[in-house]
Amino acid sequence: MATQATATAPRSSTFLRIAIALQTLTIFGQAISAGLLLTSSYGETLHSVGARVMYGASMLYVLAAVLAWKPGGGSLRPVWHASGFLVLASVQVVLGIAHVPSVHLPLGVLMFGLSVLALAQAAGAGVASWPGDHAEAAPQEEATGLVQLRSSRL
């Protein structure tokens, strides 16, 4: 007989979701401050401070991903995603300092889109069950004799 188990999300996965949300908000804030950069005198200062905050949020995302993975035995995938975001944030900072808007702006849009996707994935699927992890399914017999495929991550 098939049974379903429910598990509560550990604190580390909540921290991971908060870190991703913070990163997403800071990247969105950078888009706003980029518009102010073009239209006001204080835009450059705001964008510069925002870059530091966004970079800090990316580092916090890496920390949260490691804490969600290591002690709880969760998926390693969020660690790879967070590390990728930190690399993208580093490239973004270098491009901004070098004043290369032709790459800096599209990379910012890409980072925002990827961050929104990571947030939606973490919020919807939960940290311990990222798609593609534990993809193997074992056949389970039902009481009626029918075979049903059930994922190993209940």
Side-chain angles (χ1 to χ4, degrees):
M1 178 180 284
T3 59
Q4 290 185 349
T6 58
T8 59
R11 287 184 189 176
S12 58
S13 63
T14 302
F15 180 46
L16 181 60
R17 289 183 187 116
I18 290 170
I20 297 171
L22 180 65
Q23 175 184 268
T24 305
L25 285 174
T26 59
I27 293 172
F28 185 69
Q30 281 299 92
I32 293 169
S33 68
L36 291 173
L37 177 71
L38 300 173
T39 60
S40 69
S41 60
Y42 61 89
E44 184 176 356
T45 303
L46 193 60
H47 197 66
S48 178
V49 169
R52 289 167 176 80
V53 173
M54 184 273 305
Y55 197 79
S58 294
M59 289 190 287
L60 183 68
Y61 179 22
V62 171
L63 175 66
V66 169
L67 289 176
W69 162 67
K70 194 63 174 168
S75 174
L76 187 59
R77 190 171 299 213
V79 176
W80 288 112
H81 289 177
S83 300
F85 270 108
L86 189 58
V87 168
L88 288 176
S90 300
V91 170
Q92 187 73 331
V93 168
V94 168
L95 290 170
I97 291 171
H99 299 288
V100 185
S102 62
V103 182
H104 183 75
L105 293 173
L107 183 58
V109 172
L110 175 68
M111 286 177 65
F112 179 70
L114 291 174
S115 192
V116 168
L117 286 175
L119 181 60
Q121 190 173 31
V127 175
S129 60
W130 289 70
D133 294 343
H134 314 293
E136 68 280 350
Q140 300 291 325
E141 285 194 34
E142 291 289 325
T144 61
L146 298 174
V147 175
Q148 174 186 359
L149 291 178
R150 185 172 46 159
S151 177
S152 61
R153 53 184 162 114
L154 292 176

